[in-house]
Amino acid sequence: MRFVTLSEEHLETVLKWRTSEFVTKYMYTDVEYDMEKQREWFRRVKQDPHSYYWVLENKGVHMGLVSITDIDNIHKRAYWNFYIGEPKYGMLAGFIGPYLYNFAYERFKLNKLMGEVMAGNESVRTLHLKQGAREVGCFKDHIWKNGKFHDVYIYEMTKEDWLKYGDKYSKYQPEVETGL
């Protein structure tokens, strides 16, 4: 698995993924298919010193997006996010967490990674739990989308817990293209 630094050349593909029903149904916001707005978003995220975005690549195929955001260097925590943009690669979603945890704890020296999952996305909720994350709560009626409120579940994985639980995933070391 490779994490390829998000660049201008990926923007059209990422926008295609982000506006697909497969991805957007579990995202907090809906975006329109507008390349200029996509470029504006890209400029913002590239300037954010507390966030990193990568295109997920497996065997030369771009299949999704992963990010580490809201990095807090004082408290040693951050959020991580991902989606598979190509439905035929959905079965690889279970490998992204181990790759990301191994990389983030080593490279960024974090103590905790957190994630949020919209209600209804049961496969990702289960994935977090199977990989040792702890569900720490639920924001009730947190997101307004498609004419109704949705709950959002919060997960955390401490480095200590990952080191205990993640030993069986130690071989999952991504090749990461970074300018870090």
Side-chain angles (χ1 to χ4, degrees):
M1 181 83 59
R2 274 185 84 211
F3 294 2
V4 179
T5 301
L6 180 66
S7 70
E8 185 87 30
E9 74 183 63
H10 303 120
L11 294 184
E12 192 167 348
T13 299
V14 170
L15 183 59
K16 180 188 87 166
W17 292 337
R18 183 60 185 86
T19 56
S20 73
E21 175 62 23
F22 180 72
V23 172
T24 196
K25 67 183 170 184
Y26 297 121
M27 303 291 285
Y28 292 179
T29 58
D30 293 317
V31 297
E32 58 188 284
Y33 197 95
D34 182 322
M35 278 306 296
E36 188 50 42
K37 288 181 181 177
Q38 181 77 343
R39 285 185 195 92
E40 289 171 21
W41 168 80
F42 177 66
R43 284 190 286 275
R44 281 193 311 276
V45 301
K46 288 303 279 183
Q47 292 174 2
D48 182 352
H50 305 287
S51 298
Y52 295 90
Y53 290 77
W54 298 276
V55 171
L56 293 165
E57 182 182 283
N58 190 49
K59 298 181 181 175
V61 176
H62 293 159
M63 60 180 212
L65 190 77
V66 66
S67 63
I68 299 174
T69 61
D70 300 315
I71 299 168
D72 182 328
N73 291 311
I74 293 170
H75 301 293
K76 305 293 184 199
R77 65 179 180 235
Y79 281 88
W80 77 282
N81 319 277
F82 82 95
Y83 58 80
I84 299 293
E86 299 293 338
K88 67 183 176 183
Y89 297 105
M91 72 285 202
L92 296 176
F95 296 100
I96 297 167
Y99 279 106
L100 190 280
Y101 288 133
N102 286 330
F103 169 68
Y105 288 131
E106 176 62 30
R107 171 58 183 89
F108 293 103
K109 308 299 183 203
L110 297 169
N111 182 58
K112 179 168 44 175
L113 284 163
M114 300 166 293
E116 297 179 356
V117 181
M118 226 166 87
N121 196 350
E122 299 310 312
S123 60
V124 173
R125 290 183 64 204
T126 301
L127 206 87
H128 280 291
L129 295 172
K130 281 185 177 179
Q131 293 173 352
R134 186 171 77 100
E135 186 175 284
V136 295
C138 177
F139 293 128
K140 297 299 282 175
D141 295 340
H142 195 62
I143 298 297
W144 177 259
K145 184 169 177 153
N146 299 326
K148 64 180 186 175
F149 283 104
H150 299 269
D151 296 344
V152 172
Y153 294 89
I154 305 104
Y155 296 86
E156 68 178 11
M157 174 76 78
T158 64
K159 183 176 183 177
E160 180 182 358
D161 287 343
W162 181 247
L163 291 175
K164 282 189 276 187
Y165 189 84
D167 187 51
K168 63 185 172 185
Y169 298 112
S170 62
K171 68 180 180 180
Y172 295 96
Q173 301 292 331
E175 179 183 333
V176 180
E177 179 185 289
T178 69
L180 307 175

